[in-house]
Amino acid sequence: MSRYIFTSESVSEGHPDKVCDYISDSILDACIEQDKHSRVACETLCKSGTVVVAGEITTRATLDYERIVRQAVKDIGYSDPSEPFCDTTLEVISLITRQSGEIDQGVTAATSQSGDQGAGDQGIMFGYATDESPELMPLPILLAHKLTKGLSDDRKAGTVSWLRPDSKSQVSVLYEHNTPKEVTAVVVSTQHSPDADQKRITEYVREELGPRVLGQWWRNNVTLYVNPTGSFTHGGPSADAGVTGRKIIVDSYGGAGRHGGGAFSGKDPSKVDRSSAYFCRFVAKQVVASGLAKKAEIQVGYAIGMARPVSVKVDTFGTGDEQAAAEFVTNAFDFRPRAIIERLDLLRPIYRSTTNYGHFGRPGLPWEVVEKTAAVAR
């Protein structure tokens, strides 16, 4: 299609699913801080005044799950004791067991059939990059994240006193010949205190938030929907249940690039759902940064316990030299789990910093670096 509109959404750290992602990643970081070889697969469920953490963790770390959960909830901003979901009053239920020994024997190099660190599970992972933004990210998801992050920044700075933690955004972008031309519609739904009415919130989004965070992409006459139901005072886990891993499209490319289905949060880097998806993004960025293509998608598939992937595929969508891109990827990148972990330095407590506003397209993350190998490919 030469002309179309594409839409992506974002959610804030106060969204119930994101609360769970942040708790799971906080537990992961606490494990890695004490034992970098921890095996963690942590799931969280939250509703009303209860948080349930469940999953499989094998670690030498000594953990106080209740303390970690309460601190994570406090970090997000749920500290109002008049609400059911509050860091000081919530109940924490732990259903954690150890990782299966049968998985461990396939992941550990000394016992795996491949003689190398094997993949923590079977599955397919994708990575995507496009030159339509400086971050090499699809523009709709990038802008949607800017809106929810802007809401959070204003709330935490105290500049907008009526903002509350739970919020969503959605951005629609008009494309012509696969190039973004303008933002056609913006949706912002934000939890607020009872004293803020819809008119006041709309004025804030139209006159302050939108122009500031969207910059050149903001238009005063954009179609704008703010709290379309008319009111949003009851939000977060007090109102809705949250579960880890339920926002995988928000976490990745907003639907512009494909997703293998595996969530990221709560998983240590032996789980290729996370580490290989990060590496595929890293590789896709190198392909685009090298000038080999304007868009690139990497797909990789693994068998549990095996080190080398069963497949690696490069797709440039007709925007470049696909054969040259495939040769570059084959020659320059090692998709074995141990190689990925070493190249991206993933045995560090960095995962809470990835949880919110997208795992891709933000500075400071090792898979977002453009390396010199990209220049070599030119």
Side-chain angles (χ1 to χ4, degrees), residues 43-177:
E43 313 289 343
T44 303
L45 178 147
C46 64
K47 174 60 179 155
S48 299
T50 302
V51 171
V52 179
V53 291
E56 299 77 48
I57 297 179
T58 300
T59 182
R60 291 175 294 178
T62 301
L63 303 179
D64 182 340
Y65 292 113
E66 182 171 330
R67 183 192 64 79
I68 295 168
V69 169
R70 292 187 190 280
Q71 184 61 53
V73 172
K74 182 179 180 181
D75 290 346
I76 294 167
Y78 286 115
S79 298
D80 182 354
S82 69
E83 290 288 331
F85 193 75
C86 172
D87 67 297
T88 58
T89 60
L90 58 82
E91 178 187 8
V92 179
I93 300 172
S94 175
L95 302 174
I96 300 289
T97 62
R98 291 175 61 84
Q99 183 187 65
S100 164
E102 292 173 314
I103 295 176
D104 178 73
Q105 71 183 7
V107 174
T108 302
T111 55
S112 72
Q113 295 186 57
S114 65
D116 196 352
Q117 179 172 337
D121 201 350
Q122 70 174 49
I124 56 173
M125 298 86 213
F126 289 90
Y128 182 79
T130 171
D131 70 354
E132 67 188 61
S133 70
E135 296 86 352
L136 303 186
M137 282 289 288
L139 188 64
I141 187 67
L142 192 69
L143 298 182
H145 285 322
K146 287 180 181 292
L147 287 167
T148 47
K149 180 64 162 57
L151 290 167
S152 176
D153 290 344
D154 287 350
R155 173 176 61 87
K156 291 183 175 180
T159 56
V160 184
S161 61
W162 43 262
L163 284 171
R164 297 294 180 263
D166 192 359
S167 65
K168 286 184 173 184
S169 70
Q170 191 170 279
V171 175
S172 302
V173 175
L174 171 66
Y175 286 77
E176 293 181 356
H177 304 291

Side-chain angles (χ1 to χ4, degrees), residues 2-319:
S2 62
R3 182 181 170 89
Y4 58 91
I5 294 173
F6 194 88
T7 302
S8 294
E9 72 158 345
S10 174
V11 299
S12 72
E13 68 239 53
H15 185 282
D17 294 331
K18 276 292 152 194
V19 170
C20 294
D21 286 346
Y22 189 69
I23 291 171
S24 293
D25 277 337
S26 295
I27 291 172
L28 170 61
D29 275 359
C31 289
I32 293 178
E33 282 172 352
Q34 298 181 48
D35 176 9
K36 67 180 183 179
H37 297 294
S38 297
R39 299 282 168 75
V40 180
C42 182
E43 313 289 343
T44 303
L45 178 147
C46 64
K47 174 60 179 155
S48 299
T50 302
V51 171
V52 179
V53 291
E56 299 77 48
I57 297 179
T58 300
T59 182
R60 291 175 294 178
T62 301
L63 303 179
D64 182 340
Y65 292 113
E66 182 171 330
R67 183 192 64 79
I68 295 168
V69 169
R70 292 187 190 280
Q71 184 61 53
V73 172
K74 182 179 180 181
D75 290 346
I76 294 167
Y78 286 115
S79 298
D80 182 354
S82 69
E83 290 288 331
F85 193 75
C86 172
D87 67 297
T88 58
T89 60
L90 58 82
E91 178 187 8
V92 179
I93 300 172
S94 175
L95 302 174
I96 300 289
T97 62
R98 291 175 61 84
Q99 183 187 65
S100 164
E102 292 173 314
I103 295 176
D104 178 73
Q105 71 183 7
V107 174
T108 302
T111 55
S112 72
Q113 295 186 57
S114 65
D116 196 352
Q117 179 172 337
D121 201 350
Q122 70 174 49
I124 56 173
M125 298 86 213
F126 289 90
Y128 182 79
T130 171
D131 70 354
E132 67 188 61
S133 70
E135 296 86 352
L136 303 186
M137 282 289 288
L139 188 64
I141 187 67
L142 192 69
L143 298 182
H145 285 322
K146 287 180 181 292
L147 287 167
T148 47
K149 180 64 162 57
L151 290 167
S152 176
D153 290 344
D154 287 350
R155 173 176 61 87
K156 291 183 175 180
T159 56
V160 184
S161 61
W162 43 262
L163 284 171
R164 297 294 180 263
D166 192 359
S167 65
K168 286 184 173 184
S169 70
Q170 191 170 279
V171 175
S172 302
V173 175
L174 171 66
Y175 286 77
E176 293 181 356
H177 304 291
N178 292 317
T179 300
K181 293 298 182 181
E182 66 179 28
V183 173
T184 60
V186 169
V187 182
V188 173
S189 295
T190 181
Q191 185 187 9
H192 58 89
S193 62
D195 60 318
D197 60 24
Q198 190 176 24
K199 181 176 182 294
R200 183 181 182 187
I201 300 168
T202 300
E203 288 176 352
Y204 157 71
V205 174
R206 187 181 293 281
E207 298 173 11
E208 298 179 37
L209 179 69
R212 185 182 80 241
V213 303
L214 299 192
Q216 65 174 335
W217 294 103
W218 178 258
R219 296 183 299 117
N220 288 331
N221 62 344
V222 69
T223 299
L224 178 64
Y225 302 93
V226 177
N227 285 7
T229 67
S231 180
F232 185 5
T233 60
H234 190 42
S238 293
D240 298 316
V243 179
T244 297
R246 209 157 52 176
K247 287 292 176 283
I248 60 176
I249 301 303
V250 170
D251 285 345
S252 53
Y253 307 103
R258 285 176 285 193
H259 196 295
F264 302 151
S265 289
K267 298 176 182 177
D268 75 85
S270 74
K271 279 72 175 176
V272 285
D273 275 344
R274 186 169 211 162
S275 56
S276 184
Y278 288 172
F279 194 61
C280 286
R281 161 65 177 171
F282 173 74
V283 174
K285 281 197 72 169
Q286 313 314 307
V287 171
V288 173
S290 73
L292 287 170
K294 296 174 70 65
K295 291 196 297 185
E297 184 178 76
I298 311 297
Q299 190 219 40
V300 63
Y302 291 91
I304 187 170
M306 297 292 106
R308 296 194 179 278
V310 297
S311 65
V312 177
K313 182 179 182 294
V314 180
D315 191 345
T316 61
F317 306 95
T319 68

